Amino acid sequence: MKHLLKMLDLSTDEIMEILNLADQLKYENKNGITHHILKGQTLGMIFQKSSTRTRVSFETGMYQLGGQALFLSNRDLQIGRGEPVQDTARVLSRYLDGIMIRTFEQKEVEDLAEYGSIPIINGLTDFCHPCQVLADLMTIREFKGTFNGLKMCYIGDGNNMANSLIVGGLKVGMDVSIACPDDYQPDKQVLDFTKQFGDKFTMTNVPLEAAKDADVLFTDVWTSMGEEAETEKRKIAFAGYQINDEIMSAAKPDAMVQHCLPAHREEEITEKVFEAHANEIFEEAENRLHAQKAVLVKTMKKDQ
């Protein structure tokens, strides 16, 4: 596994290998077993979008793996100030052992992988969020024990989270349903991917229909970074796309709830539902650390 650019690139076997390694690393971490697998290696972390969880989890993860992480903001790089991405990729490849980038355009991630000679990990783009979805899948398997026979439901914007959840959920064998407004559907590339799965994927603009008999319910904020100007328009569009008691009553009685955070309570999810499922949601947040450590090992370990 050279890079992690998007969920579409991963096979089912690769996803399961990452999840199994993440489980092992989590167990070792909880039991005080050190695993300095990346001793002496350096990860460059490029942030063009800020994030609490992404920075802290990757920085901590590299430390626990025996390496170090360098935080690189827009102010630290020439990207966006005249230097082509391909030149940045080739320069950083001579200094670093890997790059994690959190940015806007998917093409920027793909270009770093094309022109650089070190592993590139997508920490989030407007198209997808593979690290988060690997953590989500890890959490589902922890709580449910298996993916077999499960139905995942996503309610809200057909954004980067929706794109990655659809792909990840289908690849591990779950049924996937999504409810979103007609003007906010997932990317066409993802919808084309779903066609091979027949009725295991469904999409509607009726949240109650999507949530029927769901084992896992997902949502995300209605307005992400870069969309602030559309906040009021989006609040109108997503009225009725909230995870609340009515939605929970349509799902299975033991349904779990996941949210990638930060959560806007009383918008995409009610305070009551969030707090009732806080243990699952914050376990999901912790699992970003363990899933990303697995990705770091899979991409950066030298003797694989």
Side-chain angles (χ1 to χ4, degrees):
M1 181 176 161
K2 174 65 174 174
H3 307 290
L4 176 62
L5 307 181
K6 55 186 181 292
M7 292 298 295
L8 285 165
D9 295 336
L10 296 178
S11 68
T12 298
D13 285 345
E14 286 174 322
I15 293 172
M16 299 306 291
E17 286 174 8
I18 292 169
L19 298 183
N20 292 340
L21 179 55
D23 287 344
Q24 177 188 332
L25 294 172
K26 182 174 184 177
Y27 172 84
E28 291 176 0
N29 187 63
K30 296 291 186 184
N31 288 276
I33 302 170
T34 57
H35 38 239
H36 292 166
I37 303 166
L38 301 182
K39 184 177 181 180
Q41 295 195 53
T42 302
L43 175 74
M45 305 188 302
I46 299 175
F47 281 87
Q48 296 182 343
K49 287 186 175 185
S50 59
S51 169
T52 301
R53 280 154 293 278
T54 300
R55 178 176 180 179
V56 174
S57 56
F58 268 107
E59 205 160 312
T60 301
M62 276 302 289
Y63 173 79
Q64 291 180 358
L65 291 168
Q68 64 174 337
L70 297 178
F71 174 79
L72 303 169
S73 71
N74 286 341
R75 296 185 300 275
D76 303 313
L77 298 169
Q78 297 298 325
I79 295 178
R81 291 186 287 172
E83 183 172 57
V85 173
Q86 55 263 41
D87 289 357
T88 297
R90 286 180 284 195
V91 169
L92 292 181
S93 292
R94 293 170 181 261
Y95 300 150
L96 303 168
D97 300 289
I99 293 172
M100 185 285 300
I101 179 169
R102 184 178 174 93
T103 187
F104 292 90
E105 293 186 19
Q106 179 70 18
K107 186 178 185 301
E108 195 162 354
V109 177
E110 305 277 350
D111 284 349
L112 281 174
E114 179 180 355
Y115 293 103
S117 57
I118 57 176
I120 306 299
I121 298 170
N122 182 347
L124 175 140
T125 64
D126 289 347
F127 173 66
C128 62
H129 199 353
C131 289
Q132 177 64 57
V133 170
L134 288 169
D136 295 340
L137 295 175
M138 179 182 178
T139 311
I140 292 169
R141 194 169 69 166
E142 277 187 6
F143 279 82
K144 296 295 186 180
T146 182
F147 297 121
N148 296 332
L150 296 186
K151 176 182 177 180
M152 170 198 291
C153 169
Y154 174 88
I155 295 174
D157 187 8
N159 58 11
N160 47 14
M161 276 301 301
N163 289 335
S164 294
L165 281 167
I166 290 168
V167 175
L170 290 172
K171 283 194 173 187
V172 299
M174 287 188 285
D175 289 355
V176 177
S177 65
I178 177 171
C180 57
D182 293 339
D183 292 336
Y184 296 90
Q185 293 185 352
D187 190 273
K188 182 180 182 300
Q189 184 180 359
V190 171
L191 294 180
D192 287 343
F193 164 81
T194 67
K195 292 175 182 178
Q196 64 188 286
F197 293 91
D199 60 5
K200 286 186 72 67
F201 174 74
T202 57
M203 183 169 66
T204 178
N205 58 12
V206 182
L208 278 171
E209 182 181 313
K212 188 177 188 307
D213 296 326
D215 298 280
V216 191
L217 292 160
F218 280 87
T219 189
D220 192 12
V221 295
W222 292 342
T223 303
S224 298
M225 185 178 294
E227 300 166 338
E228 290 82 359
E230 292 191 347
T231 297
E232 291 308 314
K233 176 184 174 184
R234 282 174 164 269
K235 284 184 177 180
I236 294 170
F238 290 105
Y241 289 82
Q242 180 188 73
I243 293 189
N244 51 31
D245 285 347
E246 184 180 21
I247 292 294
M248 295 305 300
S249 68
K252 288 184 180 175
D254 62 345
M256 60 188 292
V257 174
Q258 299 279 264
H259 193 307
C260 63
L261 303 176
H264 295 172
R265 292 165 172 81
E266 303 306 328
E267 287 188 8
E268 73 274 3
I269 189 169
T270 61
E271 175 86 18
K272 179 182 176 184
V273 171
F274 184 94
E275 290 301 330
H277 295 271
N279 182 50
E280 300 152 16
I281 292 169
F282 288 104
E283 196 70 27
E284 171 193 17
E286 178 187 330
N287 283 342
R288 281 286 298 277
L289 170 65
H290 309 298
Q292 287 167 184
K293 283 169 66 177
V295 170
L296 289 167
V297 172
K298 284 290 185 182
T299 54
M300 291 176 63
K301 187 180 177 185
K302 298 296 188 184
D303 57 350
Q304 297 185 95

